[in-house]
Amino acid sequence: MAFLIPVLLSKRNLDMFVSSSVLWLLLLSCSFSFGVESDINCLKSIKASLEDTLGYLNSSWDFNNNTEGFICNFLGIECWHPHESKVLNIKLSELGLKGQFPRGVENCTSLTGLDLSGNMLSGPLPHDIDKILTWVTSLDLSYNRFSGLIPATLSNCSYMNVLKLDNNQFSGNIPAEVNQLTRLRTFSVANNLLSGQVPPFSEHIASIRRDSYANNPGLCGYPLKPCPSISQKKSLNVVRVFKSNGVIMVAAAGFVLAPSREQGSEHQAFGVGTKRSVPSGRRKLYKLNSKVLNIKLSELGLKGQFPRGVENCTSLTGLDLSGNMLSGPLPHDIDKILTWVTSLDLSSNRFSGLIPATLSNCSYMNVLKLDNNQFSGNIPAEFNQLTRLRTFSVANNPGLCGYPLKPCPSISQKKSVSVARVFKSNGIIMLAAAAHYPILMAFLMHRLLRKQDAGIFIGSVLWLLLSSGFSFGVESDINCLKSIKASLEDTLGYLNSSWDFNNNTEGFICNFLGVECWHPHESKVLNIKLSDLGLKGSFPKGVANCTSLTGLDLSSNQLNGPLPTDIDKIITFITSLDLSSNSFTGQIPMKLSNCSYLNVLKLNNNKFSGIIPPELGQLTRIKTFSVANNQLSGPVPNFNNTSIGPESYANNTGLCGGPLKHCPPPLEVCRSAAKKSSIVKVLNSYNVAIAAAAGFGFGFPFSFCFFLPRAPSVRYLVVFARRFKS
């Protein structure tokens, strides 16, 4: 700071700072004004280009409004900030929309997500779709009627994480260029009319499976059937000969020639090179000298370490020990044990330590599955020598790094985990933590004016403020997850096997099961999704330490007890909260109404009782709300900005109002109470005696209340008994 003061007090620098700041503010305000106007025009164009058969857009998208951020309350629209008309996501799923792909989307210049699934949209996609969806990370066009070719220019949408084109009428080839989308995690083109070879995703994406291509009979290539070569197309009935572990196996005939590895001791079975024919009806691989071909011991509850005795199965080609509780490190000389193995599946165990580099010497390996363990360290670079490898998985090993996972941190990164990252894109400097707007403006001023002294000042302040801010955020998020793990009983062991805090690599918590981060190499938690993991306990208050959390899903567990009364302090910025299918009890906290960013609130299938707080009607952004299958009563909230159907309140017999039956007026309540009172049995003699003495005094006024001038005398007794007990 002593260095910064004279720089700041310098008149030349001060004048430069003031004038540049004014210039920057003018530019910034102009750009925001333009951005807001373009986003409004974007939505106007979308509405005009689509046929709104069910009237959802016509009833919600009202442009006769000039308040700031008014479009952020439109159905299916999510903004970057609630009071600024900059569209972040457009979600118009299952609204009965008709028409073609809405080109007006390109005017939403900050759009990151577009979901038009489940409608009746048709026609081809624009050939220049990359110009329309430049920054989009998630595109869902599934369950429509789009046709024609899939545009190759989609490969230019380099930020794409999710691409769903399934259940349409696309034809032709899948563009090979799609494999350039290195960030892609979800991809589906199932149920179309596609043909040809599928893109070779296997090098950087292990999660794209056969079901991503289902019901496109013309598709081929990994993970589907191999694409036929020219000679195979000419002769489809060629007998395929496979060589594995020194055994020649003819797939068409079912017989083998099995030479021993020891010279001079060959043995021949029925088949190739013999004059003996295969006995009638015998179409299977013959056992020869009790040679073990495959060992499959999946999900048998086995405990212990890797069984070294496998090396005595000298003809073994496949070993599957997945889904057990095996632990400890793998043998460093594993290549000597599994010399001829072509398929090795050790997934879903508790193996730990380094992955042996000697596995790269198992040159026949086609399948290698090591996912869902506790391996750490680098993925051996020597694995690129496994030229036959077709299936490879190391997912959910929190301590692992290296290609194709996150890069392993260098020494400098380990020393300074909390360094602020500055990204440059499209001529704009973007800081990873967008909260530091004054510093951001000053930094941009320096970039515009290219002045050395200003750079010294601004750069120093930027480093001090941002590095300290990130350090605090990262540490608090790690403590958040530690607290959650400590407060819940992990009956199925999912958290114990995945949430390993014995790690100091940058962003390590982002590999935890159910944890999504803002950036894969920075421990800032965006979403926590722990659905259906068998968790027990009460609501984890430690969630409050995840200060950037926007989504929390604890559904389908065994959580119980009441929700915290100060829940608004715990999940301040949450947009989606799913606590459904648990055993939560007590009343729904009134302070949930202070969680003003909530879009989704699911409390169904619990044991909540009492009334639904009417203040929840103040949640103006709410789009999905459900309290079905609880023990609630009283009037339902009045949601002004969305339509909540009766199914959201189902199986709460005491609820009324809104989409349910009308709540009865006080007089009706009085009559209803009288009818029920007629079946109450007074069994206590003491109460009966007092009822007889005082029945007239209490019964007479009640008879007028219920307009029952000739009510039976027992009613007076019953009413008094209930009154006395209360």
Side-chain angles (χ1 to χ4, degrees):
M1 293 304 295
F3 169 76
L4 295 175
I5 291 173
V7 176
L8 181 61
L9 294 180
S10 168
K11 185 178 185 304
R12 180 172 64 88
N13 291 337
L14 189 60
D15 292 342
M16 182 195 310
F17 180 82
V18 173
S19 59
S20 301
S21 297
V22 172
L23 174 62
W24 167 243
L25 287 171
L26 288 173
L27 290 172
L28 190 64
S29 60
C30 292
S31 64
F32 275 129
S33 299
F34 173 76
V36 168
E37 188 65 30
S38 70
D39 283 49
I40 295 172
N41 290 333
C42 165
L43 300 188
K44 285 182 178 179
S45 173
I46 293 173
K47 184 178 180 181
S49 66
L50 298 177
E51 182 182 348
D52 184 18
T53 61
L54 301 179
Y56 284 109
L57 301 190
N58 289 330
S59 62
S60 172
W61 288 25
D62 180 14
F63 293 95
N64 297 321
N65 194 328
N66 59 358
T67 58
E68 189 175 6
F70 73 98
I71 64 173
C72 301
N73 293 316
F74 284 6
L75 175 68
I77 302 301
E78 295 177 1
C79 292
W80 286 87
H81 188 274
H83 304 307
E84 179 190 321
S85 297
K86 295 291 289 181
V87 177
L88 174 67
N89 291 306
I90 298 177
K91 298 180 179 180
L92 303 178
S93 177
E94 299 182 3
L95 298 184
L97 303 176
K98 287 185 177 181
Q100 295 189 327
F101 185 90
R103 288 191 62 97
V105 171
E106 64 187 333
N107 293 319
C108 289
T109 54
S110 302
L111 190 70
T112 65
L114 178 62
D115 182 357
L116 299 174
S117 62
N119 288 292
M120 296 178 280
L121 304 179
S122 58
L125 297 184
H127 67 278
D128 59 343
I129 195 169
D130 57 324
K131 303 295 192 299
I132 301 173
L133 305 176
T134 307
W135 308 105
V136 164
T137 62
S138 176
L139 176 63
D140 189 351
L141 302 179
S142 61
Y143 292 94
N144 279 285
R145 300 172 185 173
F146 288 113
S147 57
L149 300 176
I150 297 175
T153 50
L154 264 175
S155 62
N156 297 329
C157 300
S158 56
Y159 296 96
M160 196 76 73
N161 285 269
V162 176
L163 179 57
K164 294 184 179 180
L165 304 175
D166 51 281
N167 293 280
N168 280 284
Q169 300 172 18
F170 290 114
S171 57
N173 289 7
I174 304 173
E177 297 87 347
V178 174
N179 75 339
Q180 299 170 14
L181 297 173
T182 56
R183 300 170 186 252
L184 204 59
R185 294 295 175 269
T186 301
F187 176 73
S188 180
V189 290
N191 299 302
N192 279 285
L193 307 170
L194 298 165
S195 59
Q197 186 168 0
V198 303
F201 285 117
S202 57
E203 291 184 4
H204 60 274
I205 301 174
S207 61
I208 296 180
R209 303 294 185 216
R210 297 172 62 90
D211 54 0
S212 297
Y213 305 105
N215 298 322
N216 288 279
L219 289 179
C220 61
Y222 181 81
L224 307 177
K225 62 181 183 294
C227 293
S229 64
I230 296 174
S231 60
Q232 285 174 321
K233 290 178 181 178
K234 291 181 179 179
S235 180
L236 295 178
N237 294 319
V238 170
V239 175
R240 296 175 177 84
V241 180
F242 302 90
K243 183 173 183 180
S244 176
N245 191 25
V247 179
I248 305 297
M249 297 177 290
V250 182
F255 48 85
V256 300
L257 171 64
S260 169
R261 292 187 190 131
E262 299 176 283
Q263 216 170 9
S265 60
E266 286 192 0
H267 300 277
Q268 289 189 343
F270 301 113
V272 179
T274 70
K275 295 182 180 179
R276 298 178 65 181
S277 61
V278 179
S280 176
R282 305 289 294 274
R283 289 293 181 266
K284 63 182 180 179
L285 186 66
Y286 274 76
K287 293 181 180 179
L288 186 64
N289 295 333
S290 300
K291 291 288 189 181
V292 176
L293 181 66
N294 290 303
I295 297 176
K296 298 182 178 180
L297 302 177
S298 177
E299 297 183 1
L300 297 182
L302 303 177
K303 289 184 178 181
Q305 294 188 328
F306 184 90
R308 287 192 63 98
V310 170
E311 63 186 333
N312 295 317
C313 294
T314 54
S315 301
L316 191 69
T317 65
L319 178 61
D320 182 357
L321 299 174
S322 62
N324 287 292
M325 294 178 279
L326 304 178
S327 58
L330 297 184
H332 67 278
D333 59 342
I334 195 170
D335 56 324
K336 302 295 192 299
I337 302 172
L338 306 175
T339 308
W340 308 101
V341 164
T342 62
S343 176
L344 176 62
D345 189 350
L346 303 179
S347 61
S348 300
N349 277 285
R350 299 173 184 175
F351 289 113
S352 57
L354 300 176
I355 297 177
T358 51
L359 263 175
S360 62
N361 296 329
C362 300
S363 56
Y364 295 98
M365 195 76 73
N366 286 270
V367 176
L368 179 56
K369 295 183 178 180
L370 304 174
D371 52 281
N372 293 285
N373 279 285
Q374 300 172 22
F375 291 114
S376 58
N378 290 13
I379 299 173
E382 295 85 351
F383 278 4
N384 64 0
Q385 300 170 14
L386 295 172
T387 55
R388 301 169 187 251
L389 203 59
R390 294 294 176 269
T391 300
F392 176 68
S393 179
V394 290
N396 296 320
N397 284 279
L400 273 184
C401 59
Y403 184 84
L405 304 179
K406 63 182 183 295
C408 294
S410 63
I411 296 175
S412 60
Q413 286 175 318
K414 290 180 180 178
K415 289 182 178 178
S416 181
V417 172
S418 302
V419 172
R421 296 176 184 82
V422 181
F423 304 91
K424 184 173 182 181
S425 177
N426 196 26
I428 299 176
I429 304 297
M430 297 178 291
L431 287 149
H436 299 279
Y437 292 121
I439 304 300
L440 174 60
M441 289 191 290
F443 190 86
L444 286 169
M445 175 201 75
H446 164 58
R447 296 291 295 176
L448 289 170
L449 299 180
R450 306 283 184 178
K451 298 296 183 181
Q452 184 176 2
D453 291 339
I456 295 173
F457 167 66
I458 296 164
S460 302
V461 175
L462 179 68
W463 178 265
L464 289 171
L465 291 181
L466 286 184
S467 61
S468 62
F470 279 122
S471 298
F472 174 76
V474 169
E475 188 64 30
S476 69
D477 284 48
I478 295 172
N479 290 334
C480 165
L481 300 187
K482 284 182 178 179
S483 173
I484 293 173
K485 183 178 179 181
S487 66
L488 298 177
E489 183 183 349
D490 183 18
T491 61
L492 301 179
Y494 285 108
L495 300 191
N496 289 330
S497 62
S498 172
W499 288 25
D500 180 12
F501 294 94
N502 297 321
N503 193 326
N504 59 358
T505 57
E506 190 173 4
F508 73 98
I509 64 174
C510 302
N511 293 314
F512 283 6
L513 174 69
V515 175
E516 296 178 359
C517 292
W518 287 86
H519 187 274
H521 304 313
E522 180 189 319
S523 298
K524 293 291 289 180
V525 178
L526 174 67
N527 291 306
I528 297 176
K529 299 180 179 179
L530 303 178
S531 175
D532 200 14
L533 297 184
L535 303 176
K536 288 185 178 181
S538 56
F539 185 90
K541 296 193 67 153
V543 170
N545 293 319
C546 289
T547 54
S548 301
L549 191 69
T550 64
L552 178 61
D553 182 356
L554 299 174
S555 62
S556 300
N557 286 291
Q558 302 167 50
L559 305 180
N560 54 33
L563 297 185
T565 57
D566 59 342
I567 195 169
D568 57 325
K569 302 294 192 298
I570 300 173
I571 53 172
T572 308
F573 298 106
I574 288 283
T575 62
S576 176
L577 177 63
D578 189 350
L579 303 179
S580 61
S581 300
N582 279 285
S583 301
F584 287 114
T585 57
Q587 296 190 337
I588 297 173
M590 180 269 291
K591 290 190 175 180
L592 262 176
S593 62
N594 296 331
C595 301
S596 57
Y597 297 97
L598 271 178
N599 286 266
V600 176
L601 179 56
K602 294 183 179 180
L603 304 175
N604 50 290
N605 295 287
N606 279 284
K607 299 176 182 178
F608 290 114
S609 57
I611 65 169
I612 304 173
E615 293 86 355
L616 293 185
Q618 301 169 12
L619 295 173
T620 56
R621 301 166 184 267
I622 205 77
K623 298 293 183 288
T624 301
F625 177 76
S626 179
V627 290
N629 300 303
N630 279 284
Q631 301 164 15
L632 299 164
S633 59
V636 302
N638 181 23
F639 293 101
N640 294 321
N641 295 322
T642 191
S643 177
I644 305 296
E647 67 279 358
S648 297
Y649 304 105
N651 298 321
N652 288 277
T653 52
L655 289 179
C656 60
L660 307 177
K661 64 181 184 295
H662 292 296
C663 294
L667 180 59
E668 292 296 324
V669 175
C670 190
R671 286 178 174 172
S672 176
K675 290 179 181 178
K676 291 180 181 179
S677 69
S678 65
I679 63 171
V680 176
K681 297 178 180 179
V682 182
L683 301 177
N684 189 304
S685 60
Y686 177 71
N687 291 342
V688 172
I690 298 178
F696 180 82
F698 284 90
F700 186 78
F702 270 79
S703 66
F704 282 95
C705 172
F706 300 122
F707 302 97
L708 299 172
R710 293 186 297 178
S713 60
V714 69
R715 180 165 297 161
Y716 300 111
L717 302 180
V718 170
V719 170
F720 172 76
R722 172 168 288 187
R723 183 80 172 214
F724 180 83
K725 287 182 178 180
S726 64

